[in-house]
Amino acid sequence: MAAVAIRQIRKSYGTTPVIHGVSVSIEDGEFVTLVGPSGCGKSTLLRMIAGLEDVTGGEIRIGGRIVNTVPPKDRDIAMVFQNYALYPHMSVAENMGFSLKLNGIPKSEIAVRVERAAGILGLSPLLGRLPRQLSGGQRQRVAMGRAIVRDPQVFLFDEPLSNLDAKLRVQMRTEIRQLHQRLGTTTVYVTHDQIEAMTMADRIVVLHDGKVEQVGAPLELYDRPANLFVAGFIGSPAMNFLKGWITVDGGAFFVTESGATLPLHSAPAGSDGRPAVYGIRPEHLSIGDAGGIAAEVSVVEPTGSETQVFAHVGGQEVVAVSRERVGVVPGQSIHLVPDPGAVHLFDAETGGRVN
Amino acid sequence: MTDITDIIRFRSGNAPLALRWPTQRFLVRVGLHVLVAVLALMVLLPFLWLVQMSLRPEDEIFSDAVLFTPTLENYRALWQGNFAGSFLNSLAVSSLSTGLSLLLGVPAAYVLTRWRFKGRARVALWILTTRMAPPIAFTIPFFLAYRVLGLQDTVWGLALIYMTFNLSIVIWFMQTFFAAIPESLEEAAWIDGCGVWRAFWLVTLPLAAPGLAATAVFCFIFSWSDFFYALILTRTNAMTAPVAIVNFLQYEGWEWGKIAASGTLVMLPVLIFTLLVRKYFVHGLTAGGLKE
């Protein structure tokens, strides 16, 4: 196990920069997810840690050692690929034992370690099979088995669940988390799925356009997003945003462009009249008959455990989530009442958090 | 209620199916079999004719009689003459040139497929252009160069020439096969502890084996069948089988029995080689074009 320190890492393809000076410190034994939309540079960053991409500038340390020019085989890392990358001409046991064989470990010990890893992952009956004879979930497990059998310093996961169906994804999510709790190996996990990031990570690094937007614990990011991007990216359904300005007049208020006046707990000093974006998560909007924001219901989506109500507010769509069974129908006029304590305010120009 | 006969009737355009469908299918099947048999016969006729000719006694060589007493006299005569040496020369030249072409061409193809460097596409194109000129264009340069280098009438000399032609085939064929292997497999091998060439040897090359087999067959057949360069650049020491066959056409007469027997023998290695790697060959020819 080892800590991973990334300092001012830059990456360019020709003259096109894709990662602009990213710095992240990953503690020994920590589970960190790199999350962001497609093209944000998260996989490139992971591949740089693995040594599969050259580093244009900056420094990567694994266990205190600078590894910028160290080939992948000498970094003592294990990686699980999005497409599993199992060797098609080798059996499950050979796939899992390949790295041990390369390191000159005796056959008897390889067999013991492969058997142990297979036991952890429930792969024991499949050891003689070829990858093409396995289902998607089994292949995924073999890919993980190949990683854990080595007992490396760092695990790298590159969107390992994106090829699985929804049910299996949830199951594997839990299994990976349990595996980390059991082994305690430093893990860097790349995903574009913010639910995966939220449920699995000790800390999340949100990347956007090759820059770090925010680093923090899952609930920290959820409760206090640093900017509009993080606020919109973390959380499903996404946070509602309403444009307007802050007014301080016998109390703090936010006036929306559609004219609704919404109470605030407090307003930042000197923010009277300041253009801002009002952010409120769907579960912090309750449906009422008066007050709040007047809206017209467009779609009602009951999921059983909760109900999502989509409504139009001055030409903009807003979503509210209720744990109760809500008796509203499309076309109905309602009032969405925000919880003033759960309001997020962002600067209209920079997108940075102001409250 | 709709039953299966209704569905079948509907699918066959309301025709009384029980009468029409099996008869039609039977006729189509018989027609196809006859067509295939005729085509196969057309293709195989020269070969079969050659084989039966090689087994006929000398005085019955052009006889119309279908039935005859087969004899191995023509093969015995070949064995007692110089043909065995030429046959071995052919084997040596073809194996050497195939081996050398693969030895140089396969790593070159891998580098051209996987490594990104300046002028990569241009290098690949220049390699291909070596196959664009007709072989006769290189005859005089090769002849003169080989006279100086002392490579005329040597097995190595001929093998090297075939290698120059085969190399571009190997490089272009193998590029397609390597491109079909996901790069992430090599990356996984690097992370598992392989260097670049070890990953190539342990992961990429075994996966490219069908392509390798197909390419080897092409190279072998090209070298084995060449007559032109073997005729120009060999006299006695390195004479190959195709040239030796022509030597049975003499002023004193044409030795049809030996020609037929040697022709049959020349076809044998290619036939055996192709049958051995047939499975890989067919797979190899399609592997690069389809995503599995």
Side-chain angles (χ1 to χ4, degrees), chain A residues 13-67:
Chain A
Y13 291 108
T15 53
T16 314
V18 291
I19 292 190
H20 317 263
V22 165
S23 296
V24 181
S25 284
I26 300 159
E27 300 301 322
D28 192 0
E30 197 176 20
F31 194 123
V32 166
T33 59
L34 306 178
V35 69
S38 294
C40 71
K42 56 191 186 296
S43 280
T44 308
L45 187 59
L46 190 83
R47 289 170 61 82
M48 285 198 284
I49 299 172
L52 300 175
E53 296 279 351
D54 291 334
V55 174
T56 308
E59 186 182 286
I60 298 174
R61 284 172 187 267
I62 297 176
R65 178 175 67 133
I66 297 175
V67 294

Side-chain angles (χ1 to χ4, degrees), chain A residues 254-324:
Chain A
F254 184 86
V255 182
T256 67
E257 282 180 345
S258 60
T261 301
L262 305 168
L264 298 173
H265 258 181
S266 61
S271 63
D272 190 20
R274 181 179 178 176
V277 176
Y278 180 96
I280 185 85
R281 294 214 178 267
E283 64 271 28
H284 296 138
L285 277 176
S286 53
I287 298 166
D289 297 326
I293 318 157
E296 185 185 305
V297 176
S298 57
V299 177
V300 181
E301 290 183 353
T303 64
S305 62
E306 60 182 32
T307 306
Q308 297 180 9
V309 177
F310 294 82
H312 287 297
V313 176
Q316 191 185 339
E317 192 157 76
V318 169
V319 57
V321 171
S322 172
R323 303 285 293 175
E324 309 296 324

Side-chain angles (χ1 to χ4, degrees), chain A residues 26-309:
Chain A
I26 300 159
E27 300 301 322
D28 192 0
E30 197 176 20
F31 194 123
V32 166
T33 59
L34 306 178
V35 69
S38 294
C40 71
K42 56 191 186 296
S43 280
T44 308
L45 187 59
L46 190 83
R47 289 170 61 82
M48 285 198 284
I49 299 172
L52 300 175
E53 296 279 351
D54 291 334
V55 174
T56 308
E59 186 182 286
I60 298 174
R61 284 172 187 267
I62 297 176
R65 178 175 67 133
I66 297 175
V67 294
N68 286 30
T69 55
V70 175
K73 70 186 177 80
D74 299 325
R75 294 193 181 197
D76 196 13
I77 46 164
M79 184 160 166
V80 178
F81 290 80
Q82 185 174 3
N83 62 358
Y84 319 132
L86 301 178
Y87 310 121
H89 56 303
M90 297 183 198
S91 67
V92 168
E94 285 168 338
N95 262 284
M96 287 169 68
F98 187 61
S99 60
L100 303 177
K101 191 175 153 191
L102 290 173
N103 286 320
I105 290 170
K107 272 186 180 174
S108 53
E109 196 188 330
I110 294 178
V112 170
R113 283 166 74 170
V114 166
E115 192 56 55
R116 193 168 53 211
I120 293 172
L121 294 161
L123 289 169
S124 299
L126 308 174
L127 285 175
R129 290 207 197 162
L130 288 171
R132 66 166 178 269
Q133 298 166 316
L134 304 175
S135 69
Q138 289 168 337
R139 287 179 201 187
Q140 181 55 54
R141 278 203 186 87
V142 177
M144 277 164 48
R146 194 169 63 180
I148 66 170
V149 82
R150 289 177 51 191
D151 193 18
Q153 292 205 64
V154 182
F155 281 141
L156 304 175
F157 289 86
D158 188 5
E159 305 209 27
L161 307 184
S162 56
N163 285 344
L164 303 179
D165 64 54
K167 194 176 170 192
L168 199 55
R169 203 153 49 208
V170 174
Q171 185 189 332
M172 289 304 291
R173 208 160 72 189
T174 316
E175 283 188 25
I176 292 177
R177 189 68 192 143
Q178 282 169 346
L179 199 68
H180 178 256
Q181 283 165 2
R182 180 171 178 168
L183 303 174
T185 310
T186 312
T187 303
V188 187
Y189 187 105
V190 161
T191 178
H192 65 270
D193 182 346
Q194 50 93 21
I195 299 279
E196 232 169 82
M198 290 288 287
T199 50
M200 296 173 85
D202 295 326
R203 271 193 313 147
I204 298 176
V205 179
V206 183
L207 287 163
H208 182 221
D209 285 342
K211 291 183 194 127
V212 173
E213 294 284 350
Q214 191 173 359
V215 182
L219 292 180
E220 196 180 320
L221 262 59
Y222 191 83
D223 293 338
R224 287 194 64 79
N227 53 42
L228 270 175
F229 178 80
V230 178
F233 192 79
I234 301 288
S236 178
M239 186 185 282
N240 298 299
F241 296 119
L242 297 166
K243 285 184 182 170
W245 55 92
I246 298 166
T247 307
V248 181
D249 183 15
F253 296 95
F254 184 86
V255 182
T256 67
E257 282 180 345
S258 60
T261 301
L262 305 168
L264 298 173
H265 258 181
S266 61
S271 63
D272 190 20
R274 181 179 178 176
V277 176
Y278 180 96
I280 185 85
R281 294 214 178 267
E283 64 271 28
H284 296 138
L285 277 176
S286 53
I287 298 166
D289 297 326
I293 318 157
E296 185 185 305
V297 176
S298 57
V299 177
V300 181
E301 290 183 353
T303 64
S305 62
E306 60 182 32
T307 306
Q308 297 180 9
V309 177

Side-chain angles (χ1 to χ4, degrees), chain B residues 3 8 21 32 46 55 61 76 82 84 131 143 150-151 158 167 187 192 199 207 213 225 230 233 257 283:
Chain B
D3 68 8
I8 296 169
W21 200 36
L32 279 175
L55 296 169
I61 208 98
R76 205 169 294 128
N82 296 325
R131 287 293 294 187
F143 187 82
L151 285 170
L158 211 51
L167 208 51
E187 292 174 346
D192 272 346
L207 294 175
S225 323
L233 294 170
H283 178 72

